[in-house]
Amino acid sequence: LITSTQPGEGKTTVATNLALSLILAGKRALLIDADLRRPTLDSVFRDSASSSDDGRNTKRRPGIAAVREGGWRVGEVVQRLHIDVAGAAEGLRLSVIPAGRVSALRFALLESPQLDETLRFCRDNNDVVLLDSPPVLAVSDALLIAPKVDGVILIVNAGTVTEREAKRAKDSLEKAGGRVVGVVINRFDDGAGPAYHPYAGYYGEPD
Ligand SMILES: Nc1ncnc2c1ncn2[C@@H]1O[C@H](COP(=O)(O)OP(=O)(O)OP(=O)(O)O)[C@@H](O)[C@H]1O
Ligand SMILES: [Mg+2]
């Protein structure tokens, strides 16, 4: 589970890049858009053709919420996206479950046994399953998912989130039964500039 303290800290960016790194490393990776409030994977992969719908936008197909509401089976909502990779003639495949069209009932999924079944199916068929989710301090969705996954990665936007807030988010996740396995400090700026880089002098940088 990828989450953060506040909105906009880089959850979707990190989840997406992590998923792409995994498939480049030869792993079977599945990325789930469990941010049912602000689903964005549709737009991230807008231009990627799915093997099952030949280039149509992922938005047109059912997503994770349909497993609960529409009676779809998990296997039916997984999309196999074609990812172009420089040097790989065939490209690579990334499995994605978008949020899909979500209604007012969407949140029922998070507390239902269907979520456990969904995650079990996803685990059984992939090496790594990544869930993008809403921020912890805003809504409780991530707290409902946290105890059902193997680990939580907390994205912390350096500069906008205080240590206290980040700590509070971590505590909430742990209290909910989640295991925080790591933190990604995003948009980190050491403020020093290139002159302070250990190899700066190597390139004849400044005096
Ligand atoms: N390290 C970074 N450097 C530059 N831009 C970044 C970086 N990380 C994220 N961004 C940009 O910041 C914006 C917010 O990032 P992103 O959508 O990944 O955050 P989020 O946590 O998923 O947001 P939300 O809470 O709305 O779902 C995006 O436009 C993204 O491209
Ligand atoms: Mg996001």
Side-chain angles (χ1 to χ4, degrees):
L1 176 71
I2 317 276
T3 191
S4 66
T5 305
Q6 294 171 354
E9 293 193 68
K11 296 175 293 296
T12 303
T13 304
V14 172
T16 305
N17 283 299
L18 202 49
L20 294 175
S21 301
L22 285 163
I23 60 164
L24 279 169
K27 304 277 186 206
R28 286 176 308 164
L30 168 66
L31 183 55
I32 301 176
D33 195 348
D35 189 343
L36 303 180
R37 295 168 194 268
R38 283 162 109 174
T40 43
L41 285 190
D42 278 324
S43 53
V44 173
F45 293 107
R46 194 174 32 218
D47 299 326
S48 302
S50 160
S51 57
S52 46
D53 67 0
D54 256 347
R56 275 191 285 145
N57 191 325
T58 54
K59 208 174 238 164
R60 296 177 185 217
R61 293 178 53 83
I64 189 78
V67 174
R68 164 81 186 179
E69 292 170 39
W72 290 70
R73 297 225 303 267
V74 192
E76 295 170 327
V77 299
V78 178
Q79 298 180 26
R80 300 272 295 153
L81 300 185
H82 180 267
I83 308 291
D84 283 328
V85 178
E90 303 269 305
L92 294 172
R93 291 278 172 185
L94 173 66
S95 299
V96 171
I97 303 183
R101 206 169 292 157
V102 286
S103 74
L105 291 169
R106 61 197 168 178
F107 304 113
L109 171 76
L110 301 178
E111 290 181 281
S112 74
Q114 270 99 335
L115 181 62
D116 301 77
E117 283 164 38
T118 301
L119 293 177
R120 201 171 312 126
F121 177 90
C122 295
R123 263 200 194 98
D124 289 348
N125 290 284
N126 293 278
D127 296 316
V128 184
V129 180
L130 299 168
L131 292 105
D132 189 12
S133 68
V136 171
L137 294 192
V139 289
S140 63
D141 303 16
L143 299 179
L144 294 172
I145 307 170
K148 299 175 189 276
V149 299
D150 297 321
V152 180
I153 299 176
L154 190 64
I155 312 300
V156 176
N157 192 13
T160 60
V161 174
T162 64
E163 197 180 325
R164 204 169 141 194
E165 286 166 327
K167 175 88 174 38
R168 196 147 68 89
K170 177 177 173 285
D171 289 346
S172 308
L173 287 160
E174 287 176 342
K175 221 160 133 196
R179 197 163 72 92
V180 179
V181 293
V183 171
V184 172
I185 309 289
N186 193 22
R187 296 178 192 251
F188 178 71
D189 177 5
D190 65 6
Y196 287 81
H197 190 277
Y199 297 114
Y202 189 82
Y203 298 105
E205 283 284 314
D207 266 330

